[in-house]
């Protein structure tokens, strides 16, 4: 099994930045060969893809809403995933969840392991 714990969320003004982290534990040998991703879910809305990164960091994939503002990265030696979020907007407000899956993708069903999430709130 794999456990994922997100951190770094908080309240920030529009235009500000946050850096989210996801720490993996358990069978981390699995993670090193898997893609990792960030999704978000706002109240009353479906889970939404934000960004994903291939097992070796060689490929990244972003939702249109994240392009140019967010940067995903991973450190396989430390079993961590990060999301640098700049120029935040009120519509970025959501719970952000870390996920691990066998291949790069933008659908939640493609990911096998999930964290509990960290809350991001952006005020106008």
């Amino acid at each position: 099994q794999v456990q994922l714990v997100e951190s770094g969320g908080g309240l920030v003004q529009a235009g500000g930045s946050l850096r989210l982290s996801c720490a993996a534990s358990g069978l981390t040998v699995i993670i090193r060969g898997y893609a990792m991703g960030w999704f978000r879910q706002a109240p009353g809305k479906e889970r939404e893809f934000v960004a994903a990164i291939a097992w070796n960091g060689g490929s990244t994939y972003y939702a249109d809403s994240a392009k140019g503002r967010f940067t995903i990265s991973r450190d396989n030696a430390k079993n961590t995933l990060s999301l640098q979020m700049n120029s935040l907007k009120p519509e970025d407000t959501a719970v952000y969840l870390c996920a691990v899956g066998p291949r790069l993708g933008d659908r939640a069903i493609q990911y096998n392991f999930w964290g509990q999430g960290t809350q991001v709130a952006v005020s106008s």
Side-chain angles (χ1 to χ4, degrees):
Q1 273 289 13
V2 172
Q3 292 79 45
L4 303 171
V5 178
E6 301 92 339
S7 61
L11 175 63
V12 63
Q13 288 188 332
S17 298
L18 282 174
R19 185 176 181 85
L20 305 183
S21 295
C22 173
S25 61
L27 293 176
T28 54
V29 63
I30 296 175
I31 297 172
R32 293 171 188 172
Y34 274 33
M36 299 185 78
W38 289 98
F39 287 74
R40 66 187 183 187
Q41 190 161 18
K45 294 188 176 182
E46 292 188 356
R47 192 163 293 186
E48 176 188 26
F49 170 74
V50 176
I53 188 167
W55 70 274
N56 62 353
S59 297
T60 56
Y61 182 25
Y62 294 92
D64 287 343
S65 59
K67 287 179 183 176
R69 299 189 300 128
F70 295 0
T71 302
I72 190 170
S73 60
R74 66 188 291 170
D75 185 335
N76 285 346
K78 297 181 179 179
N79 298 312
T80 58
L81 176 72
S82 297
L83 184 69
Q84 177 67 42
M85 304 189 296
N86 299 328
S87 303
L88 283 162
K89 305 174 182 179
E91 51 264 44
D92 294 319
T93 295
V95 174
Y96 282 70
L97 304 106
C98 169
V100 173
R103 60 185 58 87
L104 202 62
D106 61 0
R107 295 181 295 152
I109 196 171
Q110 294 176 286
Y111 293 83
N112 304 103
F113 304 103
W114 292 85
Q116 293 297 310
T118 185
Q119 177 71 53
V120 170
V122 184
S123 63
S124 57

